[in-house]
Amino acid sequence: MSDAPRDTQLLEKVINLAKRRGFIYPSAEIYGGFRSTYDYGPLGVLMLRNVKNAWWRSMVQLRDDVVGIDAAILSPPAIWAASGHLETFTDPLVDCKNCHGRWREDKIDGQCPTCGSRDFTESRAFNLMFKTQAGPVADEGATAYLRPETAQGMFTNFANVLTTSRKKPPFGIAQVGKSFRNEITPQNFVFRTREFEQMEMEYFVAPDEDEQWYRYWIDQRLDWYLTLGIPREQLRLHEHAPEDLSHYSKGTTDLEFLFPWGFDELEGIANRGNYDLTAHSNASGTKLEYFDQVANERYTPHVIEPAAGATRAMMAFLLSAYHEDEVDGDVRSVLRLHWRLAPHQVAVLPLSKKPELETVSREVLGLLQPHFMTDYDVTQSIGKRYRRQDEVGTPYCVTVDFDTLTDRAVTLRDRDTTEQTRVAIDELAGEIWRRTSQL
Ligand code: GAP
């Protein structure tokens, strides 16, 4: 398996496309930008939402053993003291003595990436949490943190969810939302940013079943990326050596994607043991246990955690979907996104701006909108409009032409094969459903 990027320009091409077509913009651009923060534009917000929905569908909707929550981002220090983050959620920080650049020691191979010097200060532990103040009085009791992971919201709500949902192990709590880390060197577009979105699930199991569920979730998560179109050779599993494990972990496997700079983490699947529930039980005084009535025994469940980044996954899907191929003698760039992830599933394209075509095109649009995110585009030649839709990954284009006025049929064009089929307007939504359900 090659570790080499497919195309040395790939990252740049995808960043340019993302900006030019309204997926992802550098944040605060009119003020010169704000380092490593990004805003999601009209197509980006659709795609990011699709990534999160696809995750939720697979992790919650299609199962009866996982429920969701949406916990607060602002949180008291007590949570982070108990979880171990106040003490250990740090990266090793060094300053270059020559140019005063600040670096994460474990990422630079002993040499300053700016000036090449090897002369650094002693490494010190830099805590990655964003600290803030809740309320108008800046005393000790006002300290709050922006969560650096969504996971703790699932642990602190364990007893609430257990009693209100009537679930019993094995069962999971899922959450999608923003997390914040004061990364020393955010880098590589949205791969590592200070504000990002996570999709995490804590799966609570009996203590003697943790290994089996750990393996199960590694397989499930790998399958999710494959089903959504990332080829197997662009994914790999990397099991951490015991000495590299996080403070809470009994075992961690990274699911890695072949980014343009090589394989790197997309998601971590961890066996957290009973570390978190025990720590919060001890610190809060609230018992976070499960009473198994059949066995007549009480235990602290162990936790398997698949933890993914939504924004990082979106970047991987964009990189993997980007292709250049030849159609009718022209090179086109095309995003071969899975239809569930594409910002628009369908585009309606009237062949001309003539009012009679516009009327029937709007009728077609109205028939599709309740079922699909649908774009509508009347400007420029039909060939240019196909290219524009290919470039942003729209799987189906519907062309309304003058024959439509008499035969009540339209041309349905497939993004990947560029094949065109005549379909009756009344059967159009059903035909698109039929095609997508096979993918
Ligand atoms: N609760 C466990 C946890 O948070 P993690 O490996 O630190 O584990 C999980 O984070 C995932 O969140 C990562 O695999 C990555 O996809 C995403 N992630 C973490 N830090 C990130 C950052 N600074 N920018 C973008 N995504 C990040």
Side-chain angles (χ1 to χ4, degrees):
M1 186 163 30
S2 162
D3 206 0
R6 291 183 283 137
D7 170 352
T8 51
Q9 305 294 309
L10 180 63
L11 184 58
E12 221 158 287
K13 286 177 183 171
V14 168
I15 294 173
N16 283 338
L17 174 77
K19 167 89 197 296
R20 189 163 38 79
R21 300 304 310 274
F23 283 85
I24 302 176
Y25 314 119
S27 198
E29 213 181 2
I30 61 168
Y31 289 101
F34 184 48
R35 192 166 169 236
S36 285
T37 52
Y38 292 91
D39 298 339
Y40 290 72
L43 295 187
V45 72
L46 291 174
M47 183 173 169
L48 183 58
R49 188 166 293 190
N50 289 343
V51 171
K52 293 185 283 185
N53 285 346
W55 186 89
W56 193 268
R57 180 174 184 274
S58 136
M59 302 297 275
V60 182
Q61 185 184 334
L62 297 180
R63 308 184 62 98
D64 63 4
D65 58 348
V66 179
V67 293
I69 60 163
D70 190 5
I73 289 172
L74 277 179
S75 35
I79 290 182
W80 307 107
S83 70
H85 282 76
L86 275 181
E87 201 169 327
T88 56
F89 196 57
T90 57
D91 277 337
L93 173 71
V94 289
D95 292 359
C96 170
K97 284 191 181 165
N98 182 41
C99 73
H100 307 294
R102 292 206 142 156
W103 302 103
R104 217 176 112 172
E105 189 188 29
D106 55 331
K107 294 280 176 194
I108 56 168
D109 270 342
Q111 186 163 24
C112 177
T114 307
C115 70
S117 162
R118 293 190 170 272
D119 197 7
F120 290 99
T121 57
E122 279 286 297
S123 149
R124 55 205 187 280
F126 174 73
N127 194 293
L128 299 182
M129 282 196 294
F130 278 101
K131 193 174 182 177
T132 186
Q133 168 196 325
V137 183
D139 60 16
E140 211 18 50
T143 299
Y145 290 92
L146 303 189
R147 65 182 179 195
E149 61 172 17
T150 62
Q152 299 304 321
M154 274 80 96
F155 302 129
T156 55
N157 280 293
F158 172 78
N160 281 338
V161 174
L162 195 66
T163 42
T164 52
S165 71
R166 306 175 60 81
K167 296 285 174 202
K168 52 186 190 189
F171 83 101
I173 310 179
Q175 180 170 205
V176 174
K178 290 229 170 180
S179 293
F180 301 81
R181 296 181 190 179
N182 198 1
E183 299 282 359
I184 297 170
T185 45
Q187 64 193 145
N188 288 329
F189 196 36
V190 296
F191 178 81
R192 182 175 295 111
T193 48
R194 297 197 169 112
E195 173 177 348
F196 56 98
E197 280 198 80
Q198 287 188 307
M199 311 183 287
E200 297 195 288
M201 198 272 287
E202 310 303 324
Y203 199 70
F204 300 95
V205 304
D208 57 349
E209 292 180 2
D210 61 351
E211 181 62 20
Q212 123 200 10
W213 285 111
Y214 173 53
R215 299 288 155 198
Y216 167 88
W217 280 110
I218 293 170
D219 291 346
Q220 290 289 307
R221 295 305 304 145
L222 177 62
D223 239 33
W224 185 75
Y225 293 100
L226 293 171
T227 307
L228 290 172
I230 298 188
R232 183 64 183 84
E233 63 272 17
Q234 290 176 18
L235 294 166
R236 89 179 177 192
L237 297 169
H238 166 237
E239 189 148 8
H240 286 215
E243 62 274 19
D244 295 336
L245 294 175
S246 315
H247 62 276
Y248 52 73
S249 181
K250 275 178 76 182
T252 296
T253 295
D254 284 348
L255 211 159
E256 297 182 334
F257 172 71
L258 183 55
F259 286 94
W261 55 92
F263 276 102
D264 212 336
E265 180 184 339
L266 192 52
E267 161 160 1
I269 298 107
N271 178 351
R272 298 178 73 122
N274 61 5
Y275 175 88
D276 303 274
L277 291 183
T278 305
H280 287 299
S281 281
N282 292 342
S284 68
T286 302
K287 281 202 160 37
L288 302 175
E289 298 172 335
Y290 174 70
F291 179 63
D292 181 342
Q293 284 178 333
V294 179
N296 195 28
E297 66 179 19
R298 196 173 286 283
Y299 64 83
T300 303
H302 284 218
V303 173
I304 310 303
E305 175 196 66
T311 38
R312 190 178 288 186
M314 173 168 160
M315 178 175 170
F317 285 122
L318 282 172
L319 287 164
S320 179
Y322 185 89
H323 287 85
E324 288 165 4
D325 61 14
E326 210 181 290
V327 173
D328 304 331
D330 286 339
V331 174
R332 68 164 181 171
S333 50
V334 54
L335 284 183
R336 295 193 195 280
L337 288 171
H338 190 278
W339 67 271
R340 277 192 195 285
L341 304 180
H344 294 112
Q345 283 85 55
V346 196
V348 175
L349 313 173
L351 195 62
S352 96
K353 285 184 187 162
K354 293 255 162 52
E356 60 271 35
L357 280 197
E358 185 95 16
T359 307
V360 67
S361 300
R362 293 218 162 263
E363 181 197 333
V364 172
L365 180 67
L367 285 171
L368 295 174
Q369 276 173 327
H371 309 288
F372 307 104
M373 196 70 211
T374 311
D375 194 17
Y376 186 77
D377 187 4
V378 284
T379 55
Q380 293 190 309
S381 75
I382 194 71
K384 284 204 171 123
R385 280 182 276 163
Y386 283 153
R387 296 290 173 278
R388 273 215 297 271
Q389 295 296 337
D390 290 343
E391 195 183 42
V392 298
T394 311
Y396 300 106
C397 286
V398 170
T399 310
V400 179
D401 57 26
F402 289 99
D403 289 341
T404 309
L405 299 176
T406 48
D407 67 2
R408 299 270 308 156
V410 290
T411 301
L412 180 61
R413 175 186 180 269
D414 181 290
R415 175 195 69 203
D416 296 336
T417 62
T418 71
E419 233 170 64
Q420 305 191 7
T421 328
R422 203 77 185 157
V423 180
I425 289 177
D426 292 344
E427 288 163 19
L428 184 60
E431 173 60 16
I432 298 173
W433 268 130
R434 194 186 63 73
R435 292 187 185 196
T436 53
S437 66
Q438 292 171 350
L439 299 172

